Amino acid sequence: MNVLKTLSAAFIALFFCAALALAQPPGSNEMPSVVVVPAAAQPSDHFDAAAATDAYMAQISPERIERSNNYFERGYWLTLWDFLCGVVISLLLLGTRWSAKMRDLAERITRYKPVQTFIYWVQYLIISTVLGFPLGVYEGYFREHKYGMATQTFGPWFIDQLKGMAIGIVLGGILAMLLFGVVRRFPRSWPVLGAGVSYAFIILVVFIAPVFIVPIFNKVTPLNDPKIVDPILRLARQNGIPAKKVYTIDASRQTTQMSANVSGFGNTMRITLNDNLLRRGSPEEIQAVMGHEMGHYVMNHIYKSLTFFLIVVLAFWMYLWGTIGWALKHWGEKWQIRGITDTAIVPLVILLGSIFFFVMTPINNSYTRTQEYEADMYGLNTSRQPDGFAQAAIHLGEYRKMNPGPVEEWIFFDHPSGRNRIFAAMRWKAENLNLFTAQTAAAPGATQPAVQPAADTGKK
Ligand SMILES: [Zn+2]
């Protein structure tokens, strides 16, 4: 449950296209599914959190560390390449006056302004997607296969991209019509009204997504196994969460990564675990993850994130108001853009937006990471599964660098690093050792996880 992620995914989902047929078998991963509590993390009177953390870290092979470091660090560069690729595409559409030509075409087709906006948007989205496709296919398909994260062959993957583009055409088209309507009708107050309209629209999309958008890509089914459902619902009741059912989503259709979330409110309130977590996580691990997700819910992270996002959206529109006139004065004529009410301005807005959000990356990451840390602490307190939590951190470390430097973590990490998460769990264990020494053979953290089928990855 990460509002900012969902919001940015909603934007990013407006991407991709083209043809090519190449299939790779789903990559497998050498990561053992069962993580055993190492000797140094077993309860004892000389229990030491740092030594227990090191012992957990030592369970990960050097090859695996190198592999996930590679995957994650190359992701830093991808952030930069994505940004630069977006800048180049925008400048190309503006500089060659393709954008002006797309507007002219839309104007020849109809006189009705909102329909012109929609026709422009369809052309813009298709052309920018095709231009960005080489990077998109590398990032979303080949790279994921190379590291054993992806489970789809090219055909189904490509169909998912087409679905994403169709959603981008419909939702982006509606938003573009609304925003140009605002700018045309309110030549002076458009920055504030535009911020309000885009904010309301995005929030609406985020809230309807679980019901209308998620099922386009995946199947969500109720979970019936009492061995899994009962402890989760007990945990929910203990935390005042009004959930009556637990759901699972077939995320393994696309990925080997684990995840879970708590979404909705009132009667729509639901807990969802993805099938990778169910398949690979031990019962202790699942409870630790669910405790974390419940922390997000109980600490009202969704409402706090909505407030944070409102500030970001307002700042963005103020920035747009301050920069767009200046850019038009310098290059408007050259690009054949008539003014801020002209749809041909879209690539310029996207360009200014990508600069804004690129610069905002460390701030967004730090905001999210702070909440994730809070949820970690809440999850430890409520699930009392520090070893399950350490196991989850190791599973998640398959695609996230385990032990980054502090500055690196501050800039690039939207969750605490694996090592910091394990240390937090072991510190919690050290300070609550009585919970573990009281029960001998059946100590909660020392239970052997059930044996899992082989293969794959994690996320939460
Ligand atoms: Zn979280």
Side-chain angles (χ1 to χ4, degrees):
M1 180 173 107
N2 182 331
V3 185
L4 286 170
K5 266 243 167 86
T6 320
L7 294 172
S8 45
F11 281 123
I12 294 161
L14 322 176
F15 255 52
F16 312 109
C17 184
L20 213 153
L22 233 157
Q24 285 188 346
S28 65
N29 202 299
E30 312 85 48
M31 177 63 199
S33 284
V34 178
V35 183
V36 178
V37 179
Q42 298 280 358
S44 70
D45 47 10
H46 54 271
F47 186 93
D48 175 57
T53 305
D54 288 340
Y56 266 114
M57 290 294 289
Q59 287 191 331
I60 316 168
S61 72
E63 299 81 58
R64 248 215 62 219
I65 295 259
E66 199 192 316
R67 190 175 145 104
S68 63
N69 283 359
N70 259 335
Y71 176 76
F72 203 75
E73 286 164 9
R74 285 174 194 180
Y76 304 161
W77 288 102
L78 272 180
T79 310
L80 180 68
W81 296 132
D82 283 339
F83 167 68
L84 292 177
C85 174
V87 168
V88 168
I89 290 173
S90 291
L91 289 177
L92 189 77
L93 293 181
L94 293 168
T96 56
R97 294 177 201 134
W98 280 6
S99 185
K101 282 170 203 150
M102 292 192 279
R103 172 209 54 211
D104 294 344
L105 178 66
E107 285 177 352
R108 278 201 296 278
I109 294 173
T110 175
R111 276 185 181 188
Y112 192 51
K113 289 240 177 236
V115 182
Q116 285 175 0
T117 305
F118 190 79
I119 294 171
Y120 174 89
W121 177 256
V122 175
Q123 299 176 78
Y124 168 78
L125 194 69
I126 292 173
I127 291 178
S128 61
T129 302
V130 171
L131 291 174
F133 188 71
L135 186 60
V137 75
Y138 165 72
E139 195 170 333
Y141 185 77
F142 290 107
R143 176 174 133 94
E144 292 299 299
H145 272 285
K146 190 176 152 198
Y147 287 94
M149 310 283 173
T151 55
Q152 275 174 316
T153 53
F154 192 83
W157 177 83
F158 186 67
I159 290 169
D160 273 0
Q161 307 313 306
L162 290 179
K163 288 178 186 173
M165 194 165 82
I167 294 168
I169 286 177
V170 175
L171 294 181
I174 295 172
L175 183 61
M177 288 193 284
L178 285 171
L179 291 178
F180 275 105
V182 166
V183 175
R184 281 171 194 141
R185 220 148 295 171
F186 305 95
R188 249 184 268 177
S189 47
W190 65 264
V192 176
L193 291 171
V197 168
S198 52
Y199 183 71
F201 185 82
I202 293 166
I203 300 309
L204 181 77
V205 170
V206 169
F207 280 116
I208 64 161
V211 183
F212 294 103
I213 298 178
V214 172
I216 297 174
F217 298 95
N218 289 90
K219 221 164 96 187
V220 179
T221 43
L223 202 59
N224 296 316
D225 184 355
K227 263 212 317 265
I228 297 160
V229 173
D230 290 353
I232 293 174
L233 289 181
R234 178 171 58 87
L235 208 59
R237 279 190 296 274
Q238 285 172 358
N239 288 291
I241 297 176
K244 293 192 180 62
K245 270 186 162 178
V246 179
Y247 293 83
T248 181
I249 181 168
D250 61 343
S252 60
R253 240 198 102 230
Q254 290 97 357
T255 179
T256 58
Q257 299 183 352
M258 294 180 178
S259 74
N261 70 66
V262 175
S263 64
F265 34 44
N267 283 337
T268 68
M269 163 76 227
R270 58 164 59 180
I271 295 170
T272 312
L273 283 77
N274 87 5
D275 56 349
N276 295 320
L277 175 61
L278 282 176
R279 206 156 35 85
R280 296 191 56 209
S282 63
E284 294 83 357
E285 187 175 346
I286 291 175
Q287 284 169 41
V289 171
M290 290 322 299
H292 167 101
E293 299 303 334
M294 289 176 193
H296 281 310
Y297 184 86
V298 172
M299 292 186 286
N300 293 314
H301 282 172
I302 187 141
Y303 303 108
K304 291 174 188 165
S305 296
L306 289 180
T307 311
F308 176 76
F309 190 64
L310 177 63
I311 297 167
V312 172
V313 169
L314 271 173
F316 170 69
W317 281 81
M318 293 304 124
Y319 152 87
L320 203 60
W321 178 62
T323 52
I324 207 157
W326 169 84
L328 280 185
K329 212 163 83 190
H330 280 78
W331 300 289
E333 220 166 296
K334 193 170 152 239
W335 294 337
Q336 291 177 0
I337 299 175
R338 299 168 194 145
I340 55 165
T341 58
D342 182 354
T343 46
I345 206 170
V346 165
L348 177 61
V349 175
I350 301 283
L351 172 67
L352 293 169
S354 61
I355 295 170
F356 179 84
F357 285 100
F358 182 71
V359 172
M360 284 285 289
T361 306
I363 299 168
N364 281 341
N365 281 346
S366 292
Y367 172 79
T368 310
R369 194 179 59 251
T370 308
Q371 280 196 339
E372 294 299 331
Y373 182 72
E374 284 178 15
D376 281 357
M377 297 305 105
Y378 189 97
L380 283 169
N381 286 332
T382 192
S383 73
R384 303 179 167 200
Q385 297 287 6
D387 294 290
F389 191 78
Q391 291 173 5
I394 290 179
H395 272 138
L396 300 168
E398 288 167 12
Y399 65 97
R400 223 182 254 150
K401 195 173 178 178
M402 285 298 285
N403 196 10
V407 177
E408 192 179 7
E409 187 163 343
W410 187 80
I411 296 175
F412 295 110
F413 278 64
D414 59 1
H415 282 69
S417 67
R419 192 195 168 88
N420 283 343
R421 289 181 124 173
I422 296 175
F423 181 73
M426 292 304 109
R427 186 182 57 199
W428 189 94
K429 191 174 183 179
E431 289 167 353
N432 293 277
L433 216 50
N434 56 327
L435 292 175
F436 300 88
T437 42
Q439 309 162 39
T440 47
T447 318
Q448 288 291 324
V451 177
Q452 307 292 318
D456 41 34
T457 326
K459 173 167 189 170
K460 99 178 155 201

